[in-house]
Amino acid sequence: MAERKARADALRNRETVLAAADQLFARSASPRGVSMDEIAAAAGVGKGTLFRRFGDRTGLIRAVYEARIEPLRQAVAEGPAPLGPAAAPRVRVPALLDALLCFKLDHRHLSLALEEAGSGSPYQAEHYAWWHGILRDMLERLWGAGAGAGAGDGKGAGEAGAAPDGDFAAHVLLAATRADLVEHLAGGDGVTRERMRAQLAAFVGRVLGEERTD
């Protein structure tokens, strides 16, 4: 019983820390301006607790981000169409990217904090590899099933005589949802949410190419 209560207390403390950090990032003009001291004080725990539980500031940011995006990941991994695995690639690809964009818009400062805090190449991060792998597989299914649809006819990602490259295209599509770009468009250029979603949908449509009916 005591062990179970200790685990419940630890889980509750973790959620308190994640919620406090999330709120501080959301209120801060710059993610870099939020310190571990401020997060510890807001959560009512010692700074040492943060370092023991999350390793460092980057680990804490990653934990907050992963907790917030987990429902979306679950929807993509196991949910119904249009996000879930049963959806056709031509439907699922734009739905997934639109959902990612909306998440970045709803969590602008948190997403930006994760990108800014990352060490090494962001393209080697586990969360990036997960999204890229799903997109790549869907694109390869789409273009493979279409017998090279878009290749050589100017209607897709391929050049004349070459099949579209799903791996490269997945990188390009994910780049359109990067937090720094979203922040620049929404914060600097004043692009509205619906305008940004429409622009992304049009871009994704051009990358995917026209649907073949023959």
Side-chain angles (χ1 to χ4, degrees):
M1 183 67 68
E3 183 179 350
R4 184 182 306 169
K5 183 179 184 301
R7 287 199 300 267
D9 289 344
L11 180 60
R12 186 164 50 251
N13 289 340
R14 175 184 171 85
E15 289 303 315
T16 299
V17 170
L18 295 180
D22 199 0
Q23 292 173 9
L24 286 171
F25 284 128
R27 293 200 301 263
S28 175
S30 170
R32 296 176 181 173
V34 179
S35 69
M36 294 288 271
D37 286 325
E38 290 175 300
I39 295 171
V45 301
K47 187 168 68 170
T49 299
L50 297 187
F51 286 104
R52 285 192 300 273
R53 189 174 297 274
F54 301 102
D56 55 16
R57 185 173 179 275
T58 299
L60 174 57
I61 293 171
R62 186 177 297 112
V64 176
Y65 183 90
E66 290 178 353
R68 299 299 170 255
I69 204 170
E70 183 59 24
L72 176 56
R73 286 186 57 148
Q74 287 294 322
V76 172
E78 304 173 0
L83 289 176
R90 189 171 290 277
V91 174
R92 196 180 182 206
V93 169
L96 186 152
L97 289 162
D98 180 67
L100 264 179
L101 174 63
C102 288
F103 179 86
K104 298 291 181 71
L105 286 166
D106 291 338
H107 302 83
R108 280 167 56 186
H109 290 171
L110 175 59
S111 300
L112 193 60
L114 181 65
E115 287 187 3
E116 290 185 350
S119 56
S121 170
Y123 305 105
Q124 295 177 348
E126 182 276 335
H127 66 90
Y128 182 89
W130 191 84
W131 291 104
H132 176 267
I134 288 178
L135 272 176
R136 180 198 60 224
D137 292 347
M138 286 190 291
L139 292 171
E140 290 177 351
R141 279 180 54 201
L142 173 65
W143 290 326
D153 59 8
K155 297 179 181 178
E159 297 178 357
D165 186 334
D167 188 83
F168 176 76
H171 283 303
V172 172
L173 290 172
L174 283 174
T177 68
R178 275 185 57 91
D180 53 357
L181 176 61
V182 171
E183 179 66 23
H184 171 73
L185 293 175
D189 290 356
V191 180
T192 66
R193 180 190 190 92
E194 291 309 313
R195 175 62 175 161
M196 206 180 304
R197 293 178 67 191
Q199 290 174 327
L200 177 62
F203 174 68
V204 174
R206 288 193 294 271
V207 172
L208 296 184
E210 296 179 8
E211 184 174 9
R212 293 179 59 146
T213 57
D214 54 309

